[in-house]
């Protein structure tokens, strides 16, 4: 596990993760695979695979702020609580945002993590 922090902008189509440590940043994107299947509830299966890939990415960081739309965050939060309980402790905060830039995401994450550090 890396000791750096990250912020993830999450939509139902893709997750854009930005790792930051000090002044440097590194971005990574995880996209949902839109493969259609004839299986029952294949949309749920695809979403679970996608959210699982996002959780795998998050497990590499010490603290993460997850940002995105309200519905996406609610679905992801439910998935993490039910299927990836070991990832719950890594997620420091959930923030509802609409189309932020990378710089805005990093600034938001730093602000939230600093506020949590002051409370601790």
């Amino acid at each position: 596990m890396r000791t750096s922090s990250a912020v993830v902008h999450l939509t139902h189509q893709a997750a854009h993760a930005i790792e930051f440590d000090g002044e440097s940043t590194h971005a990574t994107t995880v996209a949902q695979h839109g493969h259609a299947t004839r299986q029952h509830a294949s949309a749920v299966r695809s979403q679970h695979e996608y959210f699982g890939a996002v959780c795998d990415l998050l497990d590499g960081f010490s603290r993460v702020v997850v940002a995105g739309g309200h519905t996406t965050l609610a679905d992801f939060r439910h998935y993490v609580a039910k299927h990836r309980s070991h990832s719950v402790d890594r997620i420091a905060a959930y923030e509802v945002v609409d189309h932020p830039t990378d710089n805005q995401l990093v600034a938001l994450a730093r602000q939230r993590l600093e506020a949590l550090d002051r409370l601790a």
Side-chain angles (χ1 to χ4, degrees), residues 57-110:
L57 176 68
L58 299 184
D59 285 344
F61 302 106
S62 58
R63 298 188 306 172
V64 180
V65 174
V66 181
H70 178 71
T71 305
T72 306
L73 291 181
D75 291 345
F76 182 70
R77 193 175 209 163
H78 176 74
Y79 173 83
V80 170
K82 187 172 183 180
H83 300 285
R84 297 288 186 106
S85 58
H86 65 277
S87 296
V88 170
D89 293 336
R90 293 191 200 304
I91 300 173
Y94 289 93
E95 294 292 330
V96 177
V97 297
D98 189 29
H99 306 294
T101 66
D102 286 359
N103 290 337
Q104 289 172 328
L105 283 171
V106 172
L108 172 71
R110 287 186 179 170

Side-chain angles (χ1 to χ4, degrees), residues 11-31:
T11 68
H12 277 106
Q13 292 78 33
H16 182 66
I18 304 170
E19 175 183 3
F20 60 93
D21 190 15
E23 294 301 316
S24 63
T25 62
H26 180 267
T28 306
T29 301
V30 174

